[in-house]
C-alpha cells in the first residue's frame, strides 16, 4: 500500500489539535508532492476513481500476471460502476493476440503492455486503458526473471509503458504490480491535459 504517515497532536482543545495537524499536513504535502494520494481511509483505487470522475473518463483494464487483482480492487470503490467499464484477464498469449489485438510476439514487453491497454479501452469502450504483463515467477519467461513487470497505459490515442523490477515471491510480485499499476495510472491522470 505504500508508506503510511500518522499525524497526532496534543492540545487543550480539539480545534487547536486539528489546527496543529493541518499545519503539519501542509508541510508534508509540500515535501511529498504527488506521493500523497489519500487521507484517513482513502485507498489508491479511491484516488484513481476520484480523478477519473473529475475528468469525466472511463477505465478498462487488461491483466495478465495480476490475474484480475487490479479489477478486483477497482470494484471495491463505491460508485465504481460510473467510471469502470470492465476488465479482462488475458493470461494466455493467444487471448492477448486475438481479443486485445496485441501484435504476436513477446508478451513480456512494453509494446505488449501498451497494446493490451489500448485493446482494453477498445473492447470495453473506455477512455482509459490500464494493463499489466510480466513474470510473477517462480520461473523466468521469455528470458526475463521473476519480478519483471510492464504496466501499460492508454489515454486519448496516446500510449505509454513502464518497466518495473519488483521484489518478492509470486504473490508479492502480483500485489506490488497491482498497487504500482494503480499508482502509475493515478500519476498519469494527474499530469494528463
Amino acid at each position: 500500500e505504500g508508506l503510511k504517515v500518522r499525524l497526532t497532536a496534543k492540545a487543550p482543545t480539539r480545534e487547536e489539535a486539528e489546527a496543529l495537524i493541518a499545519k503539519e499536513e501542509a508541510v508534508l504535502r509540500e515535501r511529498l508532492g504527488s506521493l500523497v494520494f489519500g487521507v484517513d481511509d482513502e485507498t489508491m483505487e479511491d484516488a484513481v476513481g476520484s480523478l477519473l470522475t473529475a475528468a469525466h473518463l472511463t477505465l478498462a483494464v487488461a491483466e495478465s500476471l495480476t490475474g484480475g487483482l487490479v479489477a478486483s480492487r477497482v470494484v471495491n470503490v463505491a460508485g465504481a460502476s460510473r467510471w469502470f467499464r470492465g476488465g479482462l484477464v488475458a493470461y494466455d498469449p493467444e487471448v492477448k493476440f486475438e481479443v486485445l489485438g496485441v501484435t504476436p510476439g513477446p508478451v513480456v514487453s512494453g509494446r505488449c503492455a501498451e497494446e493490451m491497454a489500448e485493446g482494453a479501452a477498445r473492447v470495453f469502450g473506455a477512455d482509459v486503458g490500464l494493463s499489466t504483463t510480466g513474470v510473477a515467477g517462480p520461473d523466468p519467461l521469455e528470458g526475463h526473471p521473476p519480478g519483471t513487470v510492464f504496466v501499460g497505459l492508454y489515454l486519448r490515442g496516446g500510449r505509454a509503458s513502464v518497466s518495473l523490477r519488483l521484489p518478492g515471491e509470486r504473490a508479492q510480485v502480483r500485489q506490488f504490480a497491482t498497487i504500482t499499476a494503480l499508482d502509475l495510472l493515478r500519476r498519469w491522470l494527474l499530469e494528463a491535459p
Side-chain angles (χ1 to χ4, degrees), residues 39-90:
V39 176
D40 296 328
D41 294 328
E42 187 177 15
T43 64
M44 184 67 72
E45 49 271 26
D46 288 324
V48 167
S50 293
L51 289 168
L52 289 165
T53 299
H56 305 287
L57 297 172
T58 55
L59 171 68
V61 298
E63 302 179 66
S64 186
L65 87 149
T66 51
L69 291 174
V70 174
S72 179
R73 286 188 64 146
V74 164
V75 299
N76 280 332
V77 177
S81 60
R82 290 189 301 268
W83 48 266
F84 183 57
R85 300 280 298 163
L88 174 71
V89 176

Side-chain angles (χ1 to χ4, degrees), residues 93-180:
E94 293 303 315
V95 174
K96 293 174 182 71
F97 306 150
E98 295 172 11
V99 177
L100 293 173
V102 171
T103 304
V107 294
V108 182
S109 70
R111 178 202 45 81
C112 179
E114 290 177 18
E115 291 180 357
M116 286 175 65
E118 184 173 1
R122 179 183 41 76
V123 167
F124 289 100
D127 303 303
V128 178
L130 175 67
S131 72
T132 59
T133 188
V135 187
D139 300 319
L141 179 65
E142 296 179 353
H144 296 281
T148 302
V149 176
F150 291 90
V151 176
L153 300 160
Y154 171 83
L155 173 62
R156 296 185 185 120
R159 298 187 324 197
S161 62
V162 176
S163 172
L164 309 166
R165 180 72 170 94
L166 301 174
E169 300 296 321
R170 182 178 178 80
Q172 291 172 308
V173 168
R174 294 177 66 232
Q175 291 293 337
F176 289 152
T178 299
I179 191 68
T180 303

